[in-house]
Amino acid sequence: MAEIVLKNVYKHFGDFTAVKDLNLEIKDKEFLVLLGPSGCGKTTTLRMISGLELPSDGTINLDNKDVTQLRASKRDIAFVFQLFALYPHLTVYQNIAFPLKTQGVSKANINKEVSRIAKLLQIEHILKQKPKQLAGGDLQRVALGRGLIRNPKALLLDEPIGTLDAKFREQMRAELKLLHIESGSTTVYVTHDQIEAMEMGDRIAVMNQGVLQQIGEPHDVYSNPINLFVAKFIGSPGMNFLDMNPSSSDGSKILTFKGDGTDIKLPDFLSEKLLNNKKLTNITWGIRPEDVSIVSPGSENSLNGSVYVIENMGNHKIIDIKLKDGTLIRVRELPNSKYKIGDNIAISFDMNMVRLFDTESGDSIMVQE
Ligand code: ATP
């Protein structure tokens, strides 16, 4: 059992606040991904959970025990960095055995444990080799082995596969996920790669500038971003955005696209969201590429434009549509889509998937009561 709870955690470096009022409950055996751009405070958060860094304020509990001031070595948490940090003069066996050796574990037990870990990580054949003889994927497995050998309550991984090439990364993602299930360790995984986060996380915690923006299951964060930051950060290609004004007499039923003055009639559930937010004058309309359709010009509730760029992705096409004011909207189409560059078309939207944001604050108005 390893539940990790951070309450009102801050980290200041001099005048700079790297982590602000962070509240996070990581469930037992969960695979939680900390996701955000470079410098948003992910590593600092991980280091505070591990005990390598002390919070400036707030508390960290591990299994209902306050460990805020406890040294890293006393926390029963393993930490694996992007840089493998193996001892170059030791063999793979000796590197993996090292944590147990320092704890005075008997040779026979060390042997048993190294065998168990080597089998789990499928590195039995390289136990006699030294790190410099190994490729990136194997080095990473060894680093993981050294972390896992202590049977830690929690495993903290900081961009552990960031330096590997794309194909290896794909393989390692699947392996890490499997390893997580087999080892049963609560895992906190730091990455700035949203695709990695979506693939691996049971839940994703999105951070920006030291502040937790949203935490949820990948599908929920993708479909219901809490603000424009999350909406822009998650998804590849990203969400499309249009600047809109409410323009009906009651300020709700119709939104006008600022780019060319076209009115879009809203379904009742979206109108209601706007009625609850009567003061809103600038609205950002968010829609994912897969929720936009290409239709004939003049279709109801559509915006006119032309085909600008076509990217053939093999199993689908991404078509960039240029609207009259120059706004680009990306549409996901089937691979056999017949549209050509320059075609005059229009786009319509799956209204159930439209997400409205207050342009000024960036907050979603979809999640409010
Ligand atoms: P990256 O992916 O680039 O590592 P990150 O989200 O992990 O980014 P952190 O490493 O947690 O970000 O850093 C958050 C901020 O705190 C950064 O602006 C960083 O420069 C700053 N910072 C981190 N450690 C220290 C330190 N020891 N002293 C001063 N500033 C620090």
Side-chain angles (χ1 to χ4, degrees):
M1 162 94 181
E3 187 193 39
I4 305 166
V5 179
L6 283 74
K7 273 198 191 134
N8 307 109
V9 167
Y10 284 78
K11 182 68 193 180
H12 308 294
F13 294 111
D15 291 343
F16 178 73
T17 303
V19 175
K20 269 179 226 156
D21 199 16
L22 180 59
N23 288 287
L24 205 54
E25 288 188 15
I26 305 162
K27 299 173 198 159
D28 182 37
K29 297 190 171 53
E30 183 172 29
F31 196 117
L32 182 91
V33 178
L34 285 179
L35 173 70
S38 184
C40 72
K42 309 179 293 288
T43 296
T44 306
T45 301
L46 210 63
R47 287 173 62 82
M48 289 193 286
I49 296 173
S50 73
L52 293 173
E53 200 84 66
L54 290 182
S56 310
D57 206 349
T59 57
I60 298 176
N61 279 23
L62 183 60
D63 285 343
N64 293 320
K65 188 177 154 212
D66 188 339
V67 297
T68 316
Q69 301 299 325
L70 209 60
R71 283 211 313 259
S73 57
K74 303 278 181 214
R75 289 196 190 184
D76 199 7
I77 285 179
F79 201 106
V80 179
F81 300 90
Q82 178 175 10
L83 299 171
F84 308 124
L86 298 174
Y87 298 111
H89 59 288
L90 300 183
T91 63
V92 167
Y93 181 101
Q94 289 164 332
N95 263 289
I96 295 176
F98 193 82
L100 296 187
K101 208 172 163 197
T102 55
Q103 285 170 16
V105 177
S106 72
K107 263 192 179 166
N109 280 339
I110 288 179
N111 208 12
K112 206 170 100 201
E113 281 303 293
V114 174
S115 300
R116 178 181 70 84
I117 292 292
K119 195 167 169 216
L120 185 66
L121 291 163
Q122 297 171 20
I123 50 172
E124 291 145 301
H125 59 294
I126 56 167
L127 285 175
K128 289 189 179 138
Q129 295 185 22
K130 297 239 172 105
K132 68 170 185 285
Q133 297 169 274
L134 304 179
D138 284 339
L139 283 171
Q140 191 56 59
R141 287 192 185 90
V142 179
L144 281 167
R146 206 172 60 183
L148 285 171
I149 192 135
R150 294 188 298 142
N151 265 334
K153 280 188 173 173
L155 184 60
L156 310 182
L157 304 169
D158 191 355
E159 308 243 10
I161 56 178
T163 55
L164 305 182
D165 65 44
K167 199 158 169 45
F168 247 145
R169 275 215 303 276
E170 213 173 288
Q171 188 186 333
M172 283 304 288
R173 276 181 208 155
E175 285 185 18
L176 280 173
K177 193 75 193 160
L178 200 64
L179 193 68
H180 162 75
I181 294 165
E182 283 176 8
S183 73
S185 296
T186 305
T187 303
V188 188
Y189 186 99
V190 160
T191 181
H192 61 270
D193 181 340
Q194 51 95 22
I195 295 177
E196 203 160 284
M198 298 285 286
E199 264 186 38
M200 299 182 78
D202 294 326
R203 287 191 303 159
I204 301 175
V206 186
M207 294 181 74
N208 186 33
Q209 298 185 339
V211 178
L212 177 66
Q213 307 287 309
Q214 183 170 7
I215 182 163
E217 291 177 16
H219 175 72
D220 200 33
V221 177
Y222 180 83
S223 301
N224 298 301
I226 196 126
N227 57 30
L228 282 172
F229 174 82
V230 177
K232 286 175 186 168
F233 198 76
I234 302 263
S236 176
M239 190 178 256
N240 296 297
F241 299 103
L242 292 164
D243 291 331
M244 305 293 240
N245 276 330
S247 59
S248 70
S249 53
D250 63 5
S252 65
K253 294 239 182 315
I254 291 173
L255 284 181
T256 304
F257 173 47
K258 286 188 194 173
D260 65 2
T262 304
D263 288 340
I264 304 268
K265 194 163 172 290
L266 297 181
D268 288 348
F269 79 96
L270 283 179
S271 286
E272 276 163 26
K273 301 282 176 197
L274 287 178
L275 278 171
N276 292 341
N277 291 270
K278 277 199 177 116
K279 287 190 191 127
L280 280 182
T281 48
N282 294 307
I283 292 160
T284 301
W285 169 287
I287 186 90
R288 297 266 177 213
E290 59 272 29
D291 302 317
V292 185
S293 304
I294 299 180
V295 294
S296 309
S299 301
E300 197 190 357
N301 262 0
S302 70
L303 298 176
N304 289 336
S306 60
V307 176
Y308 186 59
V309 174
I310 301 174
E311 282 173 77
N312 208 329
M313 313 299 283
N315 62 352
H316 67 277
K317 281 181 181 169
I318 297 294
I319 302 190
D320 287 17
I321 306 296
K322 198 174 204 174
L323 302 182
K324 279 188 182 159
D325 69 328
T327 301
L328 284 180
I329 297 292
R330 310 196 83 191
V331 184
R332 190 184 161 114
E333 280 276 299
L334 293 171
N336 59 356
S337 165
K338 295 287 185 291
Y339 295 103
K340 298 184 301 299
I341 290 173
D343 284 354
N344 287 317
I345 49 83
I347 51 167
S348 70
F349 312 95
D350 179 344
M351 289 294 182
N352 285 317
M353 302 312 290
V354 169
R355 301 293 178 252
L356 301 179
F357 301 88
D358 173 357
T359 308
E360 262 90 63
S361 67
D363 292 339
S364 167
I365 66 164
M366 310 300 291
V367 285
Q368 296 164 0
E369 289 304 311

